[in-house]
Amino acid sequence: MDQAEFGHLVEKKSASSELFKGRLLHAFRDEVILPSGKVATREYVVHPGAVMVVPLLEDAHGHLQVVLERQFRYPVGRVMIEFPAGKLDPGEDCFACAQRELREETGFSASQWAHAGVLHPLIAYSTEFIDIWFARGLRAGQRKLDDGEFLDVFTATPAELLDWCRVGVVTDGKTLTAALWLQNVISGAWALDWHEGV
């Protein structure tokens, strides 16, 4: 989409103040000039960005499985089912982050990778983006969880995952997006450009 043709919708920052700076989140309140010329305020969080990996695994019978995680998420107070994901370290390349997060959280490394796209999960109040990667040719290894990180790794069929999305067992936005992507890849509607990885 050519952003230049939508200039009549753009808001322009006229002032900015910092509200909060933590280890992960950095919050601001900006004054903006609306397309009408009126002034409004926008509060938002600056986030370093993240990756999510959709790991594909064949079981002993050659049937496709996906590697998932169960993790307690404090803000919502419940254990969630998610694909492996994590934030970018300062200066880190998205592909390097995807490889690192897959290895650290699940113990798997992958021989082939495909970049699927980018997700903006919280466009109303955050700069966060999530780079989506698919991985296959998985080799098991040792996990290296961060200190204070606790999660279970398990596998499910794509059909099981999609049913969990349908009935509300899976409600994590990035995982719902990945399930949509997975469904279209499996059906052949959306192609992936696979390349060798380490």
Side-chain angles (χ1 to χ4, degrees):
M1 184 165 58
D2 181 9
Q3 295 293 312
E5 68 180 285
F6 301 109
H8 63 286
L9 299 175
V10 174
E11 301 173 356
K12 296 179 179 165
K13 178 168 66 175
S14 60
S16 183
S17 60
E18 182 182 77
L19 299 177
F20 170 80
K21 186 169 186 178
R23 289 192 316 129
L24 173 64
L25 303 177
H26 197 178
F28 291 86
R29 178 183 294 124
D30 289 2
E31 184 177 276
V32 301
I33 300 170
L34 301 174
S36 66
K38 291 185 178 181
V39 175
T41 58
R42 298 288 182 254
E43 293 178 352
Y44 63 99
V45 173
V46 173
H47 186 283
V51 300
M52 172 177 55
V53 182
V54 180
L56 306 178
L57 186 67
E58 286 192 0
D59 66 17
H61 305 289
H63 300 120
L64 186 64
Q65 302 266 314
V66 291
V67 178
L68 295 162
E69 299 174 350
R70 289 187 192 91
Q71 185 173 10
F72 181 77
R73 293 299 193 174
Y74 183 81
V76 294
R78 57 181 281 207
V79 173
M80 305 290 281
I81 294 175
E82 308 171 48
F83 279 110
K87 73 176 182 64
L88 292 163
D89 286 340
E92 187 176 28
D93 172 77
C94 287
F95 179 48
C97 182
Q99 292 175 303
R100 176 178 59 78
E101 287 293 342
L102 178 64
R103 191 170 47 252
E104 288 178 357
E105 292 189 357
T106 70
F108 285 110
S109 57
S111 63
Q112 291 191 311
W113 291 83
H115 182 246
V118 177
L119 161 67
H120 290 94
L122 306 163
I123 57 173
Y125 60 88
S126 177
T127 65
E128 182 178 5
F129 68 89
I130 301 175
D131 219 37
I132 305 169
W133 291 85
F134 277 65
R136 67 184 182 191
L138 303 185
R139 299 178 302 276
Q142 288 288 97
R143 294 194 302 168
K144 295 177 185 173
L145 296 176
D146 292 337
D147 187 36
E149 188 174 32
F150 303 91
L151 54 87
D152 292 336
V153 176
F154 68 103
T155 60
T157 66
E160 287 172 323
L161 172 62
L162 291 169
D163 195 53
W164 294 336
C165 293
R166 180 184 63 81
V167 300
V169 172
V170 172
T171 60
D172 170 55
K174 67 183 181 304
T175 303
L176 291 168
T177 299
L180 170 68
W181 220 292
L182 177 66
Q183 186 177 43
N184 280 282
V185 167
I186 289 171
S187 75
W190 294 359
L192 292 174
D193 182 17
W194 292 95
H195 64 87
E196 298 300 313
V198 292

